[in-house]
Amino acid sequence: MDFGLVLQTDPPASQVVSLMKRAERNGFRYGWTFDSAVLWQEPFVIYSQILANTQRMTIGPMVTNPGTRTWEVTASTFATLNDMYGNRTVCGIGRGDSAMRVAGRAPNTLARLGEAIDVIRDLAEGREAQVDGKPLRIPWIKDGRLPVWMAAYGPKALALAGQKADGFILQLADPYLTEWMVKSVREAAVEAGRDPDSISICVAAPAYVGDDLAHARDQCRWFGGMVGNHVADLVSRYGEHSSMVPDELTEYVKARQGYDYSHHGRTGNPSADFVPDEIVDRFCLLGPAEAHIEKLRALRALGVDQFAVYDMHDAREATIDAYGSDIIPALG
């Protein structure tokens, strides 16, 4: 199993770079960041520094979207980083939550997202693609490589990931829901004539190592609020108790009272007060190292290839170090 570190690009950027260097020293192979231009600093500028200060780590957004940058700009940016540092990027992409909504726009449609996945990958790898109805190719790209991993929750999005993406990103660590969603992605891949085992499976969630569960829950409760944004969209689309979406995913958002993006992804987010302890425990990895190892082994048995640690709490360095000393070696 591979491990990744997920950070917000809060200033100073030097701290983001430092934490990624620390993660690589501790055995993390992937470095991810949020991508929301209004809420945080521009990640692609920071990626250049992370790549320059690490040797092997693969870097990318968790996640970008097809609406805040034109597709040829996204492709060219990734290709430039790859040309400078040697094909060490990955494009995590989704419909766009905070990046679009904070700017007053609706998330992208799945149709637009599916088209963007193909176009961005083709352009970044030097192939011709249709952009706004016109053929386009970036001529200077040689031997480019850009895996495109898609974030998804709902049935149509899961099917799209199976049809088109090189990897599937699931932003929660509940084994029951992981099994259901991975199965959906793989079934869609088979129906599309693809090898389901060729799709990398990444589970991303907060991890907090320690014996004080009450404190760990409070530090990670924000995550249930963030996931709740996407779940609320599913409920509005499919209704409550839909056969299309498990109740285990949707029940907890009944007490949700809106969402303030100024606290997005942050400890103490008041918009996450509705999230019960049970959901925090299910969606996150909390407790002593042994508890993390046990849950990660269960996820690995379900086909998860990478666990990406959301490291937004008061023990960032300690979590990275605990994973490096106790947890990553046990899953290697």
Side-chain angles (χ1 to χ4, degrees):
M1 178 181 270
D2 285 334
F3 288 83
L5 184 72
V6 190
L7 299 173
Q8 294 168 338
T9 50
D10 286 315
S14 59
Q15 188 173 50
V16 179
V17 176
S18 177
L19 288 168
M20 289 298 186
K21 290 168 62 179
R22 190 185 197 109
E24 185 179 60
R25 291 195 303 269
N26 275 281
F28 289 75
R29 292 190 55 203
Y30 283 78
W32 304 91
T33 76
F34 284 44
D35 177 16
S36 191
V38 175
L39 296 177
W40 302 288
Q41 293 186 330
E42 171 54 41
F44 286 93
V45 176
I46 300 171
Y47 294 162
S48 186
Q49 286 298 303
I50 296 172
L51 288 162
N53 283 276
T54 56
Q55 284 71 52
R56 298 168 302 280
M57 184 175 271
T58 297
I59 305 299
M62 188 179 281
V63 292
T64 193
N65 72 85
T68 52
R69 277 176 269 266
T70 60
W71 301 348
E72 68 273 16
V73 169
T74 298
S76 181
T77 303
F78 276 112
T80 300
L81 292 171
N82 284 337
D83 188 64
M84 294 173 68
Y85 300 105
N87 286 344
R88 289 172 52 203
T89 65
V90 57
C91 177
I93 195 167
R95 293 177 60 226
D97 177 34
S98 63
M100 297 297 287
R101 286 175 163 138
V102 168
R105 307 184 188 104
N108 297 270
T109 65
L110 287 176
R112 179 174 173 82
L113 176 57
E115 184 182 358
I117 287 171
D118 290 334
V119 169
I120 291 169
R121 184 198 291 119
D122 283 343
L123 290 176
E125 295 185 347
R127 295 184 294 276
E128 182 179 287
Q130 292 286 321
V131 179
D132 295 329
K134 297 180 180 179
L136 188 68
R137 187 177 73 85
I138 303 176
W140 53 263
I141 296 176
K142 302 289 189 271
D143 301 318
R145 181 178 177 275
L146 183 65
V148 181
W149 294 16
M150 180 182 156
Y153 290 106
K156 292 181 180 179
L158 294 168
L160 181 62
Q163 292 159 7
K164 290 185 177 289
D166 300 300
F168 163 50
I169 298 171
L170 173 57
Q171 291 159 307
L172 55 81
D174 177 70
Y176 175 85
L177 294 171
T178 298
E179 183 176 19
W180 179 79
M181 293 185 185
V182 169
K183 180 181 178 182
S184 297
V185 169
R186 287 178 168 161
E187 287 177 348
V190 171
E191 291 174 5
R194 304 180 67 201
D195 176 4
D197 293 330
S198 70
I199 301 172
S200 299
I201 306 296
C202 174
V203 161
Y208 198 105
V209 183
D211 295 324
D212 188 342
L213 279 178
H215 181 73
R217 286 172 181 141
D218 286 343
Q219 287 292 303
C220 298
R221 197 174 307 276
W222 62 265
F223 184 67
M226 187 184 83
V227 173
N229 294 334
H230 304 283
V231 175
D233 285 346
L234 294 178
V235 172
S236 66
R237 189 173 300 119
Y238 297 103
E240 294 184 8
H241 307 297
S242 168
S243 61
M244 303 289 285
V245 183
D247 288 346
E248 288 82 356
L249 180 61
T250 60
E251 276 293 306
Y252 84 99
V253 300
K254 288 181 178 179
R256 182 177 181 269
Q257 300 292 325
Y259 193 81
D260 181 356
Y261 279 93
S262 66
H263 303 283
H264 189 57
R266 299 187 187 281
T267 295
N269 184 347
S271 298
D273 288 347
F274 72 96
V275 180
D277 288 350
E278 177 195 1
I279 289 294
V280 182
D281 292 347
R282 283 172 47 196
F283 284 11
C284 304
L285 274 75
L286 311 174
E290 294 78 12
H292 292 243
I293 293 167
E294 181 181 3
K295 192 166 188 178
L296 287 167
R297 283 176 173 157
L299 291 170
R300 184 174 62 181
L302 297 173
V304 174
D305 301 299
Q306 179 186 153
F307 177 61
V309 175
Y310 277 103
D311 204 25
M312 280 75 76
H313 48 58
D314 65 0
R316 294 189 297 178
E317 291 87 353
T319 297
I320 293 169
D321 293 346
Y323 264 72
S325 62
D326 301 326
I327 298 168
I328 292 177
L331 276 295

